[in-house]
Amino acid sequence: MARDRSRPVALIVLDGWGYRAQAEGNAIALANTPTWDSIWAHPARTLLEASGTRVGLPEGQMGNSEVGHLNLGAGRVVMQDLVKINTAIADGSFFKNPVLSHEQLQALAQKAKAKGFEIPSYPALESQRKVSAAWLVEHSGFSKGFSSGRVGISSKHALAIVNRGQASAADILDFKEHIQDRVQQIWGIRLEPEPVLVGAENS
């Protein structure tokens, strides 16, 4: 009868415990940790990446406890809200082009004419016209390349909201709502977001 060689395995999560080869300024490496040293000396060990795309965050963004627990609990990479949003707008379209009735288009055209503009439109459904969401955004004060803190408008496409660096999902959603509010204030049209934002309120 073969001998049972199975041994119990324990997964121990040390929250906030990281690894860096250099000892200078490294509290863990400089501390007296005999138990940890004996565990680390065992060949059956490895390192896990806990930041960026490895845990569902944008490239280069460090992880945190919530992200770590979520990925460990799921047993897979769980895409975070910010990555979902960034992915959704990667094709350069964050807002839908509004489809207006004849009366709505006439009212919009009158507002545009009063400001010296002619708003572009093209056929949609029967007796309806589709207008450019990009035009509405740009003519509401959000030109290409516009920045507001850590978020802004792409320099190439007026419908692409971009992360300027370290912006949170809340930052992007707040900016999205700011654009919607401004367009509605000036043109009387509430833009609808193109991507489906899971776990977020689509206003």
Side-chain angles (χ1 to χ4, degrees):
M1 181 175 176
R3 189 172 62 178
D4 184 3
R5 295 180 179 274
S6 63
R7 292 183 299 173
V9 175
L11 172 61
I12 302 174
V13 179
L14 301 178
D15 198 354
W17 193 277
Y19 174 83
R20 180 163 61 88
Q22 294 81 7
E24 183 179 358
N26 187 338
I28 294 174
L30 296 174
N32 180 26
T33 54
T35 301
W36 171 254
D37 292 341
S38 65
I39 294 173
W40 191 246
H42 197 283
R45 60 177 171 81
T46 189
L47 292 171
L48 298 176
E49 293 188 43
S51 63
T53 56
R54 295 291 188 176
V55 289
L57 290 169
E59 187 65 45
Q61 183 164 330
M62 66 180 181
N64 54 51
S65 296
E66 180 183 359
V67 170
H69 295 164
L70 184 60
N71 280 264
L72 285 172
R76 60 179 177 85
V77 176
V78 179
M79 301 299 283
Q80 306 301 305
D81 286 345
L82 182 54
V83 177
K84 291 178 182 177
I85 294 173
N86 284 346
T87 301
I89 65 175
D91 64 353
S93 182
F94 204 93
F95 294 109
K96 297 178 181 178
N97 291 320
V99 176
L100 307 179
S101 66
H102 175 74
E103 292 76 14
Q104 289 173 316
L105 180 62
Q106 288 298 105
L108 180 61
Q110 288 298 321
K111 291 182 179 180
K113 184 177 180 180
K115 299 177 183 295
F117 301 128
E118 183 177 348
I119 188 165
S121 68
Y122 46 97
L125 302 176
E126 184 177 355
S127 301
Q128 293 182 319
R129 301 283 290 183
K130 185 176 289 188
V131 299
S132 169
W135 189 95
L136 292 170
V137 170
E138 287 197 88
H139 288 78
S140 297
F142 303 100
S143 58
K144 296 184 183 73
F146 177 91
S147 289
S148 177
R150 295 178 291 186
V151 297
I153 301 293
S154 168
S155 60
K156 298 180 179 180
H157 199 309
L159 291 187
I161 297 177
V162 295
N163 183 350
R164 301 292 187 198
Q166 300 300 311
S168 66
D171 291 331
I172 292 177
L173 292 176
D174 286 346
F175 186 56
K176 181 264 299 184
E177 292 180 7
H178 179 46
I179 293 174
Q180 288 175 298
D181 292 342
R182 184 66 175 162
V183 170
Q184 186 169 20
Q185 179 186 11
I186 295 176
W187 302 108
I189 295 176
R190 185 73 177 178
L191 293 178
E192 296 183 15
E194 180 76 30
V196 176
L197 308 178
V198 179
E201 181 178 338
N202 289 322
S203 59

